């Protein structure tokens, strides 16, 4: 059985100044090019911080220099994985607002996600997000909850973490996933058109105004 100790998760606030400069030095050529192509300063800070954090976490786990690691997109949907290493370590990163999260584990494909309440509140201005995100049964639960934005954000990150663990990402409609209520322990109850995979799931506390989740396919 998978436990918290099998999964290493790091999160933090996107770096700036000398720390950002130091983090950028951990990245490889391709990552630096991708960072430079990002126009938005905050997106650049998130990108560099998340990729440096992942390199440090994987380096610690494998006792390797973070510089020596290589990651490449794999599979039909381009989920990045660690390459050139005999040891099978699954990795994933996410960022939103000024938060970055990364997770690594040997136990199975991993997905992490983070989102801010403010982005979800904006996206839900016209009241459509619940239709894009939730099943009819989940929408009934939402109707009984006081903190709609908090609930939608938590549903969002839990579902996206499942879809990132599977590697399919948002090519799959989130409404095909039936999840437990946001004030209950995270659990995938049903998946339209396929059996429910065995998953380990946990919410992550990454500070006020954000929700985050980690999922491992076991
Ligand atoms: C994965 C996905 C949900 C990320 O959405 P997002 O909210 O914009 O970004 P997040 O912060 O949550 O995660 C971004 C990270 O997820 C990882 N990622 C990329 N593709 C992924 C996939 N298929 N599955 C899981 N993780 C993926 C990357 O490490 C990425 O970070 P990077 O771009 O800095 O390397 C979205 O990009 C997606 O649905 N991708 C799959 C389908 C697709 O568009 N494929 C195109 C290439 S074939």
């Amino acid at each position: 059985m998978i436990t918290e100790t099998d999964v290493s998760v790091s999160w933090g606030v996107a770096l700036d100044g000398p720390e950002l400069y130091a983090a950028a030095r951990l990245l490889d050529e391709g990552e630096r090019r991708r960072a430079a192509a990002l126009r938005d300063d905050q997106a650049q800070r998130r990108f560099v911080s998340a990729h440096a954090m992942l390199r440090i976490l994987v380096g610690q786990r494998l006792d390797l220099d973070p510089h020596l690691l290589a990651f490449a997109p794999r599979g039909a949907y381009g989920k990045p994985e660690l390459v050139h290493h005999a040891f099978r370590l699954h990795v994933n990163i996410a960022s939103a607002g000024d938060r970055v999260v990364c997770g690594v584990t040997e136990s199975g494909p991993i997905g992490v996600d983070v989102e801010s309440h403010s982005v979800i509140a904006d996206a839900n201005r016209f009241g459509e997000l619940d239709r894009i995100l939730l099943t009819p049964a989940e929408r009934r639960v939402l109707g009984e909850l006081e903190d709609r934005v908090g609930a939608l954000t938590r549903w969002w990150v839990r579902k996206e973490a499942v879809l990132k663990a599977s590697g399919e990402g948002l090519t799959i409609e989130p409404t095909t996933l039936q999840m437990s209520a946001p004030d209950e322990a995270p659990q995938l109850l049903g998946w339209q058109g396929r059996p429910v995979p065995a998953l380990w799931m946990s919410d992550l506390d990454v500070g006020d105004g954000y929700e985050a989740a980690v999922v491992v396919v076991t």
Side-chain angles (χ1 to χ4, degrees), residues 32-63:
R32 281 195 210 139
R33 253 199 314 274
R34 287 187 64 203
L38 294 168
R39 296 243 175 105
D40 176 55
D41 177 59
Q42 199 183 35
Q44 224 172 51
R45 289 174 44 222
R46 278 198 306 252
F47 183 96
V48 171
S49 307
H51 284 267
M53 185 185 272
L54 179 65
R55 284 177 171 274
I56 291 168
L57 195 60
V58 173
Q60 283 169 349
R61 192 91 178 201
L62 299 180
D63 199 19

Side-chain angles (χ1 to χ4, degrees), residues 156-179:
W156 179 279
V157 297
R158 287 175 175 181
K159 289 192 177 197
E160 194 172 315
V162 171
L163 297 173
K164 290 180 75 180
S166 84
E168 294 157 297
L170 295 172
T171 60
I172 301 293
E173 296 284 341
T175 50
T176 61
L177 303 177
Q178 174 77 39
M179 308 281 300

Side-chain angles (χ1 to χ4, degrees), residues 61-83:
R61 192 91 178 201
L62 299 180
D63 199 19
L64 284 176
D65 185 336
H67 285 107
L68 300 178
L69 303 171
F71 301 90
R74 288 280 184 271
Y77 307 104
K79 181 176 180 178
E81 288 180 15
L82 182 66
V83 290

